[in-house]
Amino acid sequence: MTYKTEQEEFWASEFGNGYLSRNDSEHLIVSRMVHFAKFLKSAPRVRSIMELGCNIGLNLQALNRLNKDFELSAYEINPIAAAKAK
């Protein structure tokens, strides 16, 4: 794959692959649920959310646990992370 920027190449590289294992934990999902619950009180009509650069989808997992009716979508440049997020 051809990347347009250094940042794209960086996240699609081994560093991005290593980030997967460094940040895959139930604790992070629960922590994000707490923060999202606070944020979403200010935006009660939100129904769809798109995350750009979702990595392995921890934010999406947290949001899904908060509300199964959210329409969630995402984009991830790292192919290994994208496969895990699916």
Side-chain angles (χ1 to χ4, degrees):
M1 178 175 226
T2 304
Y3 300 105
K4 294 181 181 180
T5 67
E6 284 183 38
Q7 187 175 21
E8 288 177 335
E9 195 169 322
F10 177 77
W11 283 105
S13 73
E14 285 304 311
F15 177 85
N17 295 341
Y19 186 87
L20 310 178
S21 59
R22 291 190 305 271
N23 292 286
D24 188 5
S25 79
E26 181 66 19
H27 173 74
L28 289 174
I29 295 170
V30 172
S31 173
R32 290 169 188 200
M33 287 174 67
V34 170
H35 292 292
F36 287 138
K38 290 178 188 175
F39 302 151
L40 290 167
K41 284 183 183 178
S42 299
R45 297 171 64 191
V46 169
R47 294 293 171 248
S48 70
I49 300 167
M50 174 179 270
E51 182 176 10
L52 302 177
C54 72
N55 198 263
I56 59 173
L58 297 182
N59 288 335
L60 300 171
Q61 289 180 51
L63 289 163
N64 186 59
R65 289 183 191 182
L66 287 173
N67 186 338
K68 299 277 186 210
D69 293 328
F70 281 147
E71 182 181 320
L72 302 172
S73 57
Y75 177 81
E76 174 52 50
I77 197 167
N78 183 294
I80 295 171
K84 189 162 184 180
K86 283 184 182 180

